[in-house]
């Protein structure tokens, strides 16, 4: 096995912590002299029987193979980092067995050094700009570019399957190279990223034939007037999660409906504000297996008067028996709130941070959410702030079973 060049050799003037102690068996290449006889298969006695030569019964390669099998059970990043500090053998074995790599700061290590040490990575997470970049406190073109990482990964990780980026600058060329370099790419998650547009998305989804997850969360996507939804493969897809609620441009709804229809594994779907409640109904009928749903505007589309088309929204929600997470509700029309009642009893997460709704109007919903664990409210200041008054669910009249036992109430940005 090739020794990692980043580790100092034993002849270096600055000795490692392992060099101060007696060498372990996995670092010994030659025989170990001893004055005591040993009862093992590696013993050979010379002439007078006073000299005993002991040979290590297991070569280093065997010991490292065993160590690699053990390290595969370590899933925590901290545990793996601690294991890599034990000795050189552990350092090498830990690097060879790591399939998921987390880079907390894209400038903390160079792409070349990261790919040189970890050679079998299949999932990579990279964070770029600091958190205060979310509040427009960073200068334009500050950095955190994905380009050097994609170039290095294209050569080192041809089998890469998952990439998660947070506060990174991603260009259309980066997305194109990403799709061309990894034939088995499956998951792309972009959180608070910017720099690309719908043309880059179109190229990416057209070339990633095995794509399962495309999640865009609080990400700025430029409108290049390109219909990226229709670029998904026309055959049955492997899509499991599609989130584009942050995309502000219009989409081809007919193409989206066909995509949902040919994605039987789709579990997570978050729509942007250009999807009306009537269109939402058509999508829910196509995909009753959804577990996470972002509703879009939750209002009638422009040019359609209320009452023009009476759809059974209650039945559509009732058919989604696996729904546990509900969000969206942009431009909400309160007359349609009762439609979500059938799924309230099974919800664990409810996000109304974009809904213009008062605490009094929210009472009928909250009282039916028996399993609610997290709740996001807006920052309204009318008729009492929602954040201050939503604790009222604890004092509502009715049986104790009708009141959530635990709920985490949050505001956007907390």
């Amino acid at each position: 096995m090739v020794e990692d060049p980043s580790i100092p050799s034993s002849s270096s003037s600055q000795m490692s912590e392992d060099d101060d102690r007696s060498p372990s068996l996995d670092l010994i290449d030659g025989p170990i002299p001893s004055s005591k006889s040993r009862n093992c298969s590696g013993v050979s006695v010379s002439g007078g029987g006073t000299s005993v030569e002991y040979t290590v019964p297991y070569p280093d390669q065997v010991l490292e193979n065993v160590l690699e099998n053990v390290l595969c059970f370590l899933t925590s990043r901290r545990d793996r980092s601690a294991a890599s500090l034990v000795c050189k053998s552990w350092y090498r074995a830990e690097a060879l067995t790591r399939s998921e790599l987390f880079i907390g700061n894209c400038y903390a290590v160079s792409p070349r050094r990261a790919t040189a040490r970890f050679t079998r990575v299949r999932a990579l997470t990279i964070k770029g700009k600091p958190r205060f970049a979310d509040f427009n406190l960073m200068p334009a073109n500050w950095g955190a570019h994905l380009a050097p990482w994609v170039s290095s990964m294209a050569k080192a990780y041809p089998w890469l399957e998952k990439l998660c980026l947070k506060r990174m600058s991603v260009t259309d060329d980066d997305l194109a190279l990403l799709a061309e370099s990894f034939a088995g790419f499956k998951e792309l998650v972009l959180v608070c990223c910017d720099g690309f547009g719908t043309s880059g998305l179109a190229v990416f989804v057209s070339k990633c034939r095995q794509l399962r997850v495309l999640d865009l969360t609080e990400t700025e996507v430029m409108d290049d007037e390109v219909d990226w939804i229709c670029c998904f493969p026309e055959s049955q897809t492997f899509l499991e999660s599609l989130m584009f609620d942050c995309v502000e441009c219009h989409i081809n709804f007919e193409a989206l409906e066909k995509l949902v229809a040919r994605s039987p594994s789709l579990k997570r779907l978050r729509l942007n504000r250009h999807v009306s409640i009537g269109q939402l109904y058509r999508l829910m009928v196509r995909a009753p297996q959804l577990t996470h749903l972002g509703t879009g505007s939750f209002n009638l589309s422009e040019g359609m008067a209320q009452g023009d088309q009476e759809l059974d929204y209650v039945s559509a929600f009732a058919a989604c028996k696996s729904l546990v997470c509900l969000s969206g509700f942009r431009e909400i029309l309160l007359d349609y709130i009762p439609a979500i009642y059938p799924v309230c009893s099974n919800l664990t997460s409810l996000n109304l941070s974009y809904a213009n709704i008062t605490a009094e109007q929210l009472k009928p919903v909250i009282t039916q959410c028996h399993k609610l664990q997290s709740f996001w409210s807006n920052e309204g200041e009318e008729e009492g702030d929602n954040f201050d008054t939503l604790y009222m669910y604890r004092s509502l009249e009715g049986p104790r079973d009708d009141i959530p036992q635990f709920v985490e109430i949050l505001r956007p940005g907390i």
Side-chain angles (χ1 to χ4, degrees):
M1 183 176 293
V2 179
E3 185 172 341
D4 196 305
S6 64
I7 307 176
S9 62
S10 57
S11 61
S12 175
S13 59
Q14 296 180 351
M15 304 296 289
S16 66
E17 184 179 351
D18 296 308
D19 296 327
D20 296 334
R21 302 188 297 268
S22 299
S24 57
L25 293 181
D26 61 345
L27 297 178
I28 299 177
D29 296 325
I32 302 178
S34 175
S35 59
K36 297 181 181 180
S37 61
R38 301 172 185 267
N39 185 19
C40 62
S41 60
V43 174
S44 62
V45 182
S46 63
T50 58
S51 176
V52 178
E53 183 178 348
Y54 176 78
T55 304
V56 179
Y58 300 104
D60 292 349
Q61 186 63 46
V62 175
L63 292 178
E64 289 191 3
N65 289 340
V66 174
L67 181 59
E68 289 177 8
N69 291 330
V70 173
L71 289 177
C72 288
F73 292 97
L74 285 182
T75 57
S76 171
R77 295 196 304 268
R78 291 189 176 184
D79 291 344
R80 281 188 159 272
S81 297
S84 66
L85 300 176
V86 174
C87 63
K88 294 180 180 179
S89 294
W90 285 54
Y91 182 91
R92 291 191 295 264
E94 192 280 323
L96 289 175
T97 57
R98 185 176 294 211
S99 60
E100 298 184 2
L101 183 59
F102 175 84
I103 307 295
N105 186 337
C106 64
Y107 290 114
V109 62
S110 67
R112 180 191 60 81
R113 185 171 183 180
T115 54
R117 177 183 174 186
F118 303 101
T119 58
R120 302 180 181 179
V121 171
R122 292 182 177 273
L124 179 62
T125 300
I126 308 176
K127 288 188 176 182
K129 303 172 187 177
R131 189 175 184 275
F132 53 80
D134 296 341
F135 307 98
N136 298 324
L137 298 178
M138 297 290 293
N141 301 321
W142 180 85
H145 299 291
L146 179 63
W149 286 94
V150 174
S151 300
S152 297
M153 291 186 301
K155 301 175 182 178
Y157 304 144
W159 48 80
L160 188 73
E161 297 179 352
K162 178 180 178 180
L163 181 62
C164 179
L165 305 175
K166 189 169 185 178
R167 302 188 187 96
M168 295 285 290
S169 295
V170 184
T171 65
D172 293 338
D173 293 336
D174 294 337
L175 293 178
L177 182 58
L178 193 65
E180 295 171 355
S181 303
F182 311 107
F185 195 82
K186 298 178 181 179
E187 299 185 23
L188 178 62
V189 180
L190 302 180
V191 181
C192 300
C193 295
D194 56 15
F196 64 97
T198 54
S199 57
L201 286 177
V203 174
F204 177 78
V205 299
S206 64
K207 295 183 178 182
C208 290
R209 313 296 294 185
Q210 301 183 35
L211 189 65
R212 295 182 180 179
V213 176
L214 178 59
D215 292 351
L216 308 176
T217 304
E218 298 183 20
T219 294
E220 297 181 10
V221 181
M222 295 179 289
D223 186 5
D224 300 329
E225 297 183 356
V226 176
D227 184 7
W228 62 279
I229 294 291
C230 69
C231 294
F232 279 89
E234 295 183 358
S235 59
Q236 181 172 309
T237 69
F238 300 94
L239 205 60
E240 298 176 2
S241 178
L242 178 61
M243 301 183 183
F244 60 94
D245 51 320
C246 60
V247 179
E248 293 296 332
C249 55
H250 286 271
I251 62 168
N252 185 341
F253 178 76
E254 286 71 20
L256 177 62
E257 186 177 14
K258 294 178 181 178
L259 174 62
V260 172
R262 64 178 184 269
S263 304
S265 300
L266 189 65
K267 300 293 184 181
R268 299 167 179 254
L269 179 63
R270 290 186 180 176
L271 310 167
N272 66 2
R273 63 184 182 87
H274 296 289
V275 178
S276 66
I277 190 172
Q279 294 171 329
L280 174 66
Y281 172 84
R282 293 166 58 180
L283 296 176
M284 295 180 67
V285 171
R286 296 279 191 176
Q289 75 278 4
L290 291 175
T291 60
H292 294 64
L293 176 63
T295 64
S297 68
F298 215 68
N299 200 343
L300 297 175
S301 60
E302 296 181 2
M304 179 183 295
Q306 184 175 0
D308 285 355
Q309 186 178 9
E310 292 295 336
L311 300 175
D312 193 355
Y313 303 111
V314 176
S315 298
F317 276 95
C320 297
K321 301 182 182 299
S322 302
L323 200 62
V324 295
C325 180
L326 200 56
S327 61
F329 301 99
R330 300 169 185 262
E331 303 175 9
I332 185 173
L333 188 62
L334 297 177
D335 294 343
Y336 294 117
I337 284 292
I340 69 173
Y341 289 171
V343 299
C344 286
S345 60
N346 202 39
L347 290 181
T348 59
S349 176
L350 180 61
N351 189 339
L352 292 172
S353 57
Y354 294 102
N356 184 17
I357 186 173
T358 65
E360 189 67 26
Q361 295 166 337
L362 195 58
K363 279 184 180 181
V365 178
I366 291 295
T367 53
Q368 300 184 54
C369 298
H370 310 305
K371 301 179 182 179
L372 200 61
Q373 297 179 5
S374 65
F375 180 85
W376 289 76
S377 68
N378 61 17
E379 299 183 80
E381 297 180 355
E382 299 178 0
E383 293 191 34
D385 185 62
N386 283 1
F387 181 73
D388 297 329
T389 58
L390 278 176
Y391 289 99
M392 66 183 176
Y393 68 83
R394 296 189 180 278
S395 60
L396 290 174
E397 297 181 358
R400 187 64 185 175
D401 293 340
D402 290 341
I403 302 176
Q405 299 299 312
F406 169 77
V407 65
E408 181 183 3
I409 301 180
L410 301 171
R411 267 181 168 180
I414 294 181

